[in-house]
């Protein structure tokens, strides 16, 4: 399950019967589903297009910066469904309407909780804007661990918008996020932001001879 920048969730891969891994699942699921929590109860799921590739245990769905979803993997240790090395890219409904994606520019990508930061937005549809922050987390074992979508408060004067960062770690644990601006239903390409600093000091790589820091 992958969180999308418009607040919906894409659910795909897996099987209709059994449990993950080691030959214990059958009847692969080839359809993608979209879950929209803004719709009334009983009308929140819709069936999207399908694939021909069985993606069972150890498959993934990862949100890309351009708003598409990278679909990969499958290694159930099962002779019926061999390890899958092919990858696919899924185009969610918000990119299938032929509308031009807005363009967003961010000057500062290290945000403090509750801070206000300016971004520049070029929109093409003239529809209502939204700013969403999608947790940039890893995808494995059925969902993006810790995945979240936060719609930030903002105000705009012409193309310049002032965005308010999440207030605290309870709303958004420290880490990296993808910032999207939506022009109506259509998201921009994302910009990666770090919100809440680096309290665990994960960025403090060893200062050792011959060690090249792999950081961002």
């Amino acid at each position: 399950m992958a969180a999308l920048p418009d607040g919906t969730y894409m659910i795909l891969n897996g099987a209709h019967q059994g449990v993950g891994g080691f030959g214990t699942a059958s009847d692969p699921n080839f359809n993608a589903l979209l879950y929209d929590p803004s719709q009334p109860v009983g009308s929140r799921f819709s069936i999207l297009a399908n694939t021909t590739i069985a993606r069972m245990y150890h498959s993934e769905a990862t949100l890309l910066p351009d708003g598409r979803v990278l679909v990969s993997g499958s290694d159930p240790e099962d002779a019926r469904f061999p390890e899958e090395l092919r990858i696919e890219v899924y185009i969610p409904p918000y990119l299938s309407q032929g509308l031009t994606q807005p363009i967003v520019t961010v000057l500062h990508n290290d945000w403090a909780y509750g801070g206000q930061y300016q971004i520049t937005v070029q929109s093409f549809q003239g529809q209502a804007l939204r700013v969403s922050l999608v947790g940039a987390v890893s995808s494995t074992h059925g969902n993006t661990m810790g995945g979240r979508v936060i719609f930030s408060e903002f105000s705009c004067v012409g193309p310049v918008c002032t965005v308010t960062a999440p207030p605290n770690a309870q709303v958004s644990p420290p880490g990296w996020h993808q910032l999207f601006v939506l022009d109506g239903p259509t998201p921009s390409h994302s910009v990666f932001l770090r919100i809440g600093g680096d309290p665990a000091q994960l960025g403090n790589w060893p200062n050792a001879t011959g060690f090249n820091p792999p950081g961002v």
Side-chain angles (χ1 to χ4, degrees):
M1 180 164 59
L4 302 181
D6 65 349
T8 61
Y9 295 82
M10 180 167 285
I11 305 169
L12 67 171
N13 304 346
H16 293 130
Q17 182 175 344
V19 295
F22 309 105
T24 54
S26 61
D27 190 14
N29 168 53
F30 294 111
N31 275 114
L33 300 178
L34 192 71
Y35 176 72
D36 186 350
S38 71
Q39 297 302 311
V41 173
S43 302
R44 293 180 175 179
F45 284 97
S46 55
I47 299 174
L48 303 180
N50 56 21
T51 182
T52 60
I53 300 175
R55 296 193 183 276
M56 311 288 276
Y57 194 53
H58 286 150
S59 59
E60 297 182 347
T62 306
L63 177 64
L64 295 174
D66 63 4
R68 299 179 299 168
V69 176
L70 180 70
V71 184
S72 61
S74 186
D75 184 22
E77 301 291 338
D78 184 344
R80 298 170 298 169
F81 308 109
E83 182 178 6
E84 183 55 67
L85 302 179
R86 291 171 290 178
I87 62 174
E88 298 170 284
V89 175
Y90 201 102
I91 300 175
Y94 53 59
L95 291 178
S96 62
Q97 303 176 33
L99 301 178
T100 302
Q101 293 179 259
I103 299 172
V104 58
T105 303
V106 179
L107 296 179
H108 303 285
N109 67 349
D110 203 353
W111 290 14
Y113 287 126
Q116 292 189 320
Y117 301 90
Q118 288 188 336
I119 65 174
T120 302
V121 179
Q122 181 181 1
S123 60
F124 300 94
Q125 320 307 326
Q127 301 188 40
L129 297 181
R130 290 182 292 167
V131 176
S132 67
L133 296 167
V134 183
V137 291
S138 62
S139 170
T140 182
H141 289 78
N143 63 76
T144 49
M145 304 297 180
R148 70 193 66 85
V149 181
I150 299 171
F151 288 97
S152 294
E153 293 184 351
F154 70 97
S155 60
C156 299
V157 178
V160 178
C161 298
T162 301
V163 182
T164 301
N168 52 51
Q170 285 68 46
V171 173
S172 182
W176 288 88
H177 296 69
Q178 295 186 68
L179 179 145
F180 291 88
V181 173
L182 293 104
D183 183 4
T186 310
S188 65
H189 287 213
S190 71
V191 176
F192 280 90
L193 308 172
R194 187 174 69 176
I195 300 175
D198 185 20
Q201 300 184 6
L202 298 176
N204 292 347
W205 297 97
N207 184 18
T209 303
F211 180 79
N212 295 317
V216 179

